[in-house]
Amino acid sequence: LGGTLAYLAAARLDPDATVAYYGTHIQNYLDDGYNISSPFTLHMGKKDHVVGKENIKRVCDALADIPNATVHLYNAGHGYANPHLPEYYNAKLAEQTHQRTFEVFNRLF
């Protein structure tokens, strides 16, 4: 839910920058993406069973047309950056994701 809310905040509230993880329902709001005017970064697992391959493709295709949007796809499933989900957690990919997240926000300061 948090990734979708971050996406909608980027589209509807115009924050300085937004980062979303997973975005399980972004595919239901693809038209909102055209309102994104500040940097937006989405981290997704290529094998996210919650989002599904078809929706991952739909989201990636839609965001490819948004100049300020960046999508990072990882060879992982849903929850790969969440240490509270040990069955999905991948420390190496989580570190890379967090590093990219901080890069987005460090550019603001």
Side-chain angles (χ1 to χ4, degrees):
L1 182 61
T4 302
L5 290 176
Y7 168 81
L8 291 172
R12 298 179 181 181
L13 302 175
D14 195 30
D16 292 334
T18 310
V19 175
Y21 285 47
Y22 320 124
T24 57
H25 298 286
I26 291 175
Q27 69 275 0
N28 298 325
Y29 305 97
L30 294 178
D31 289 340
D32 285 85
Y34 293 104
N35 296 321
I36 295 174
S37 60
S38 59
F40 172 75
T41 299
L42 174 62
H43 302 287
M44 297 182 85
K46 293 178 188 178
K47 302 174 186 176
D48 192 321
H49 67 283
V50 176
V51 180
K53 286 183 181 183
E54 182 179 314
N55 286 327
I56 292 168
K57 181 176 179 358
R58 288 179 61 213
V59 169
C60 289
D61 289 349
L63 290 176
D65 294 333
I66 310 301
N68 293 318
T70 302
V71 178
H72 295 287
L73 289 173
Y74 302 89
N75 191 26
H78 189 81
Y80 72 89
N82 186 343
H84 301 292
L85 298 173
E87 65 274 22
Y88 302 115
Y89 181 65
N90 182 312
K92 182 178 178 181
L93 293 179
E95 177 62 29
Q96 183 180 27
T97 301
H98 298 323
Q99 180 180 356
R100 287 175 168 167
T101 294
F102 285 110
E103 287 171 4
V104 170
F105 294 119
N106 285 338
R107 283 186 226 130
L108 298 175
F109 303 103

